[in-house]
Amino acid sequence: MAEIYITIGRQFGSGGRETGKKVAQALGIPYYDKELLAIAAKESGLSHQFLQDYDEKPTNSFLYSLVMGQNALLGGSQSMTVDQMAVKAQRDAVLSVAEKGSCVIVGRCADYILRDKPGLIRVFISADYENRIQRICHRDGVTEKEAEENMRKMDKARASYYSFHTDRKWNDASNYDLCINSSRKGIDTAVEQILQFIKA
C-alpha cells in the first residue's frame, strides 16, 4: 500500500481532532497533534513550553525575544527570530514524522508543508455555529459566552497563523481536497467520508 498523509485543518469546536484520531485508528497509522510539539522540542532543543505558547498562534517577534531571551534561544545565530525558530521546529517535526510513513496530522500548516508529497490528502473540518458552541461547552466545561469567545479567538489565531506562513486562506475550500461539515451527520460519518475518499 502506498504511503498516505492526511492533514486536517479544522474550525475550533468542529471535532477535527476526534475525526483525525478515528481516521488514524481505522487505518492503523500514527496520529499527530500536540505530539508534534514534543517531537519539535526534542529535535530542535527549544523549550516545549515555548513551542506550546506559540502553537498555531501569531506572535510578536520582538516581544518574544525580550520575554524568552533571544540570544539564548538562537544559540549564537542572529539571522533568525524566535518566531521563525518555532515555525521551523514545527515544520521540521512535520517533515520528520512524514518521513517515517503514513500518518494523520492535525493543523500546523501540515497541508502546506507536505504539499509536494505524493499521497497527500488535505481535509478541512467545519461545523455549524451552535454545534460548535455546545461541543466546546461540553468538552471544556465553560459557559456558552466563554465558548463563543474562545471559538472566535482560536479561529482568528489559526487563520492568521496559516495565512502568514502559507500566503493562503485558512478556510478556503480550494486549498483542500475534501471539506466536511461534521454537524450534518456526525463525526463517525465524517470519518467514513474521509476513508471512502482515500479508497477512491
Side-chain angles (χ1 to χ4, degrees):
M1 176 180 171
E3 303 288 7
I4 55 171
Y5 310 93
I6 304 161
T7 61
I8 297 183
R10 74 286 186 219
Q11 289 181 318
F12 189 68
S14 66
R17 183 177 299 164
E18 183 181 351
T19 301
K21 284 182 179 179
K22 289 190 173 185
V23 168
Q25 289 170 356
L27 294 173
I29 61 177
Y31 165 87
Y32 299 100
D33 181 13
K34 295 292 185 183
E35 296 84 354
L36 282 172
L37 300 181
I39 295 170
K42 181 179 179 180
E43 294 184 352
S44 69
L46 291 171
S47 158
H48 185 279
Q49 183 61 52
F50 167 66
L51 291 172
Q52 187 171 345
D53 289 343
Y54 183 83
D55 191 30
E56 292 190 296
K57 302 181 185 77
T59 60
N60 181 289
S61 297
F62 179 67
L63 178 61
Y64 257 77
S65 297
L66 291 176
V67 175
M68 303 303 293
Q70 185 174 20
N71 289 336
L73 284 171
L74 290 176
S77 172
Q78 300 301 315
S79 61
M80 189 180 291
T81 67
V82 289
D83 288 18
Q84 292 169 330
M85 290 187 73
V87 171
K88 183 180 184 301
Q90 289 207 32
R91 174 183 176 278
D92 289 347
V94 168
L95 292 171
S96 177
V97 299
E99 282 302 311
K100 296 176 182 177
S102 298
C103 58
V104 175
I105 304 176
V106 174
R108 284 123 197 133
C109 301
D111 59 302
Y112 182 79
I113 295 168
L114 300 177
R115 63 191 181 280
D116 296 324
K117 207 162 185 64
L120 175 65
I121 297 174
R122 305 162 301 168
V123 179
F124 190 85
I125 306 293
S126 63
D128 294 345
Y129 187 87
E130 286 303 323
N131 288 94
R132 293 169 65 196
I133 293 293
Q134 294 307 314
R135 174 181 287 276
I136 296 167
C137 287
H138 178 74
R139 182 191 67 196
D140 300 340
V142 296
T143 65
E144 289 192 4
K145 183 178 180 180
E146 290 172 327
E148 184 177 21
E149 290 175 354
N150 291 344
M151 185 174 73
R152 289 178 176 173
K153 179 180 177 182
M154 289 301 297
D155 279 354
K156 183 177 181 180
R158 287 174 180 173
S160 296
Y161 181 89
Y162 186 87
S163 176
F164 183 81
H165 295 296
T166 69
D167 288 326
R168 297 180 178 181
K169 189 175 181 181
W170 171 66
N171 58 356
D172 187 341
S174 66
N175 293 325
Y176 304 95
D177 303 304
L178 183 63
C179 295
I180 300 173
N181 185 320
S182 62
S183 300
R184 296 296 185 256
K185 294 186 178 179
I187 297 297
D188 288 340
T189 299
V191 171
E192 187 58 33
Q193 288 175 321
I194 295 171
L195 295 176
Q196 288 297 326
F197 186 89
I198 293 169
K199 291 177 182 178

